[in-house]
Amino acid sequence: MSHFFPADILLPKDGYEKWAVVACDQYTSEPAYWRAVEERVGQAPSALHIILPELYLSADNSQRIEQINATMQRYLDDGVFDEHRDAMIYVERTCDAGTRRGIVGMIDLDDYDYSRAAASPIRATEATVVERIPPRVCIRRDAPLEMPHILLLIDDPERRVIEPLSNEKSDMQPAYNFELMQGGGHIEGYLLSPEKIAQISRALDTLTDGGDDSLLFAVGDGNHSLATAKECYRESGDPRARFALVEVVNIHDASIVFEPIYRVLFGVDDRDFLDGFRAYAAAHGTDERHSFTAVTHGGCDTFEVSACAKLPVGTLQPYIDAYLTEHPGVTVDYIHGEDVVRSLCEQEHTLGLLFDGMKKDELFPAIQRDGSLPRKTFSMGHAADKRYYIEARRLK
């Protein structure tokens, strides 16, 4: 099955407009977004009640996690879901960038390795921050359900795997069709027949024919969630934990636009940071140059430094990491969209850094050549375009 399998997929019986909410790692500096979601959902069955938005992550989330797990079990006991056995779902998501096509199924975590030098069929695109995994393990360890916001990329320039399904929807059983909340656009899903699942498998097999490198899937979104699933599987050995639900999309889909993920530092002396960054780049860089724009409450300033890596983010991130270690009162957030950066930097002691991102056709060759990239190198679109939680799978 080319490392991609049908799964026993749970779908809510109704109420999709309140059920589906955006990935938990979005809008981490915008509490107003999540308050609006809470007001819209209320007490209705919703993915909101069985996830932990990272905005609310704290030193001790034990009570919230217990409540999440209890709510998951209550949803199972109360018949909130229909279960579709041995299923895959073809998805069309329409948002500002166009219509993104994907397939929901599951992967074998034995095929996934998030280490930088991985040679597995499924690999991280960016460096995994191991310190971010334990809090997520606490959330997943005793959870009765999983829901994916993970997007895996395939490199399919001839569009042989996913795109043919768009002309075959009339032969498929509809699964859902609705408008996503909070500007998320429109989404529709279709259950795939065993024949179409076999068709997908055959097409996936062609993507690695004749090559020495086994890379088939690169994690586009949700790598830390997938790494968490891997660690929970290692810890428990439970056969159900060996698999993880994901959506597979084609990197060559016209709707997939790579956006840089900008950096915003809080509680910082911007002059001290920028002077230090210039000195760091001068000491470690090459004759090539990278351009950055510093955003503060006083305005914007574009400057260049010596390049320390192939990508601007590769020059910047090591310095940020070192600076945070030396300045424990300073924090950083990773922001999608220039407008959000400029808004956040209206307050004093806040510094935003804007820079050019990577081109999406550079991704697979870069991973095969150099391994995973610096963390938070790119984003596939803006926050509103991220995957919404819809499908679920039993973990217990």
Side-chain angles (χ1 to χ4, degrees):
M1 282 297 298
S2 299
H3 313 289
F4 188 51
F5 306 89
D8 295 341
I9 296 177
L10 298 169
L11 292 174
K13 293 178 179 177
D14 51 34
Y16 281 94
E17 289 79 4
K18 291 186 177 182
W19 173 265
V21 299
V22 79
C24 65
D25 58 349
Q26 300 303 304
Y27 301 101
T28 54
S29 295
E30 299 174 72
Y33 177 93
W34 289 103
R35 284 197 297 268
V37 174
E38 291 164 4
E39 291 172 4
R40 176 162 183 167
V41 167
Q43 297 303 310
S46 175
L48 177 66
H49 302 312
I50 52 177
I51 66 166
L52 179 53
E54 293 193 6
L55 172 71
Y56 303 128
L57 275 177
S58 63
D60 183 6
N61 296 289
S62 56
Q63 288 188 335
R64 188 184 285 265
I65 292 170
E66 287 179 8
Q67 181 62 41
I68 287 170
N69 290 341
T71 304
M72 286 181 176
Q73 190 60 51
R74 177 162 55 84
Y75 285 175
L76 287 167
D77 295 341
D78 291 351
V80 168
F81 302 105
D82 282 327
E83 187 167 25
H84 302 271
R85 305 297 298 274
D86 295 322
M88 284 185 178
I89 298 177
Y90 169 63
V91 177
E92 289 189 354
R93 166 81 179 280
T94 303
C95 46
D96 288 344
T99 300
R100 184 175 71 218
R101 297 166 176 84
I103 304 169
V104 177
M106 68 182 184
I107 59 164
D108 186 338
L109 291 168
D110 281 338
D111 293 331
Y112 164 67
D113 184 351
Y114 59 78
S115 65
R116 182 171 184 180
S120 56
I122 307 168
R123 300 178 206 171
T125 52
E126 299 177 343
T128 303
V129 184
V130 294
E131 293 83 4
R132 294 181 62 189
I133 296 176
R136 290 163 174 79
V137 168
C138 291
I139 296 169
R140 186 180 176 97
R141 177 181 286 125
D142 296 318
L145 297 173
E146 68 165 353
M147 291 186 300
H149 71 260
I150 299 158
L151 289 175
L152 297 189
L153 298 168
I154 54 172
D155 187 12
D156 183 17
E158 297 182 17
R159 295 169 169 81
R160 292 174 289 185
V161 178
I162 300 171
E163 286 78 1
L165 297 171
S166 63
N167 297 320
E168 302 172 5
K169 292 189 292 184
S170 60
D171 299 329
M172 302 177 194
Q173 178 185 342
Y176 47 75
N177 190 332
F178 65 101
E179 294 292 322
L180 295 162
M181 68 170 74
Q182 298 291 102
H186 185 84
I187 192 164
E188 53 191 83
Y190 300 86
L191 291 160
L192 297 179
S193 66
E195 292 76 19
K196 284 186 169 50
I197 292 173
Q199 169 187 315
I200 291 164
S201 177
R202 290 192 297 270
L204 282 171
D205 286 341
T206 68
L207 298 186
T208 55
D209 279 356
D212 295 331
D213 195 304
S214 65
L215 177 62
L216 178 60
F217 298 118
V219 184
D221 268 335
N223 182 64
H224 286 88
S225 293
L226 199 56
T228 297
K230 177 84 171 188
E231 293 309 309
C232 286
Y233 166 46
R234 286 174 172 166
E235 178 184 284
S236 71
D238 189 310
R240 280 188 179 269
R242 176 177 166 177
F243 300 91
L245 208 58
V246 301
E247 181 179 348
V248 171
V249 297
N250 185 7
I251 195 172
H252 299 283
D253 190 308
S255 72
I256 294 179
V257 178
F258 274 21
E259 302 276 356
I261 301 179
Y262 304 119
R263 274 58 173 160
V264 174
L265 292 107
F266 300 91
V268 67
D269 180 329
D270 57 270
R271 183 176 296 276
D272 178 69
F273 180 91
L274 293 172
D275 287 347
F277 180 41
R278 290 185 177 96
Y280 163 84
H284 297 88
T286 65
D287 291 336
E288 296 183 18
R289 309 289 285 176
H290 282 156
S291 179
F292 296 87
T293 297
V295 184
T296 68
H297 73 286
C300 300
D301 177 39
T302 298
F303 62 97
E304 290 188 345
V305 299
S306 297
C308 304
K310 181 177 181 180
L311 300 173
V313 67
T315 295
L316 175 61
Q317 189 62 47
Y319 179 71
I320 289 179
D321 293 340
Y323 191 89
L324 295 180
T325 299
E326 296 175 1
H327 299 78
V330 179
T331 59
V332 65
D333 201 358
Y334 301 90
I335 303 298
H336 307 277
E338 290 189 22
D339 55 338
V340 179
V341 173
R342 296 180 193 278
S343 175
L344 290 170
C345 292
E346 290 176 358
Q347 55 187 311
E348 292 188 359
H349 307 298
T350 304
L351 170 64
L353 290 151
L354 307 176
F355 46 85
D356 290 335
M358 71 178 293
K359 297 179 177 63
K360 66 181 185 179
D361 59 2
E362 297 175 327
L363 179 62
F364 272 72
I367 295 171
Q368 290 171 316
R369 183 182 64 246
D370 301 326
S372 56
L373 305 172
R375 62 193 175 101
K376 299 289 186 181
T377 294
F378 68 94
S379 170
M380 296 196 306
H382 297 294
D385 302 331
K386 298 299 180 180
R387 195 170 202 284
Y388 277 55
Y389 299 108
I390 301 175
E391 302 85 358
R393 186 179 73 94
R394 294 177 188 268
L395 288 175
K396 303 292 182 183

